[in-house]
């Protein structure tokens, strides 16, 4: 990589974040509430410490989520918990999966971008099949932000959408989707008012399968 100026562009920063995410790792999951999040953190910490690993950082956000379950849309107030550690994602994922209270937890992290030439030469090839999309919805109400999130899940352009508050105004929200890479185009065409930023992700195998089972790629976008 040739960096011509001292000042790094935003895209370089993003690339470095994604590349860093491929080795030393963070993982995000969802739980029912903050108490459950704390319990999970303590259990994962114990498990990693037993293998001489540590948790570097842990944080939680309140989210309102929409997702498909048993052929219908579920709507929940949940907590997203993110754990940073120096261990590879596979180790972190295993520890979280072993302690998680859900039957089918979401355990996600970033994957390499296609142009991730900075990855170690011996790093395994990364499948860029799954993505997370994030869009800021400004100056609106929680009902409207949640309505948008729900409608993206209703048409199965994403298997899961989470809405969280951004800042203190009470009028700005982030919508975060988990979906297949192949769904990005239809989201952009049919929900064009939302400007999603996409990040390739990887997840526990069961969650990846669940994403595949709950996203529909329509033959041509704009069909709705
Ligand atoms: C938090 O969630 C757990 C289930 O994971 C539940 O048993 C518990 O009652 C909840 N606590 C609160 C304060 O809602
Ligand atoms: C949305 O609001 C945030 C502050 O909460 C601001 O930083 C951002 O520029 C705004 N974006 C748009 C598109 O208005």
């Amino acid at each position: 990589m040739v960096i011509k100026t001292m000042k790094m562009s935003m895209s370089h920063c993003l690339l470095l974040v994604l590349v860093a995410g491929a080795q030393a790792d963070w993982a995000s999951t969802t739980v029912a509430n903050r108490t459950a999040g704390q319990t999970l953190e303590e259990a994962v910490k114990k498990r990693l410490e037993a293998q001489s690993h540590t948790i570097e950082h842990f944080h939680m956000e309140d989210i309102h989520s929409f997702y498909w379950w048993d052929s219908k849309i579920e709507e929940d107030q949940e907590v997203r918990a993110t754990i940073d550690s120096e261990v590879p994602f596979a180790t972190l994922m295993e520890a979280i999966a072993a302690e998680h209270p859900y039957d089918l937890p979401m355990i996600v992290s970033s994957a390499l971008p296609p142009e991730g030439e900075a990855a170690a030469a011996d790093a395994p090839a990364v499948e860029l099949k799954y993505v997370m999309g994030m869009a800021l919805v400004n100056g609106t109400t929680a009902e409207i932000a949640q309505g948008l999130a729900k409608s993206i899940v209703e048409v199965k352009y994403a298997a899961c959408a989470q809405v969280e508050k951004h800042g203190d105004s009470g009028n700005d929200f982030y919508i975060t989707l988990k979906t297949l890479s192949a769904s990005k185009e239809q989201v952009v065409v049919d929900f064009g008012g939302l400007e999603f930023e996409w990040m390739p992700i990887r997840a526990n195998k069961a969650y990846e399968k669940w994403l595949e089972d709950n996203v529909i790629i329509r033959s041509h976008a704009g069909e709705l």
Side-chain angles (χ1 to χ4, degrees), residues 32-33 35-36:
N33 52 51
T35 310

Side-chain angles (χ1 to χ4, degrees), residues 121-187:
D122 60 350
V126 175
E127 217 183 339
L128 298 169
K129 196 168 181 182
Y130 313 97
V131 289
M132 176 164 94
M134 262 187 116
L136 183 62
V137 195
N138 272 29
T140 188
T141 62
E143 287 69 30
I144 289 174
Q146 287 169 15
L148 277 166
K150 186 177 181 181
S151 51
I152 296 171
V153 175
E154 253 166 1
V155 294
K156 295 199 169 183
Y157 281 8
C160 157
Q162 302 170 338
V163 179
E164 78 205 82
K165 273 197 194 121
H166 170 65
D168 298 323
S169 73
N171 302 319
D172 301 332
F173 302 87
Y174 271 112
I175 297 180
T176 306
L177 310 178
K178 307 291 181 332
T179 188
L180 303 184
S181 212
S183 184
K184 284 192 291 189
E185 189 193 341
Q186 59 191 11
V187 172

Side-chain angles (χ1 to χ4, degrees), residues 204-219:
N204 45 321
K205 286 287 164 248
Y207 189 78
E208 288 183 351
K209 174 163 192 319
W210 175 81
L211 282 181
E212 283 169 47
D213 291 345
N214 289 283
V215 173
I216 291 176
I217 310 300
R218 294 191 158 77
S219 52

Side-chain angles (χ1 to χ4, degrees), residues 1 3 8 10-22 118:
M1 178 169 21
I3 297 175
M8 265 203 266
M10 277 308 286
S11 65
H12 277 124
C13 290
L14 182 62
L15 182 66
L16 291 180
V17 167
L18 291 171
V19 169

Side-chain angles (χ1 to χ4, degrees), residues 31-37 101-102:
V31 288
N33 52 51
R34 285 178 180 254
T35 310
Y102 290 2

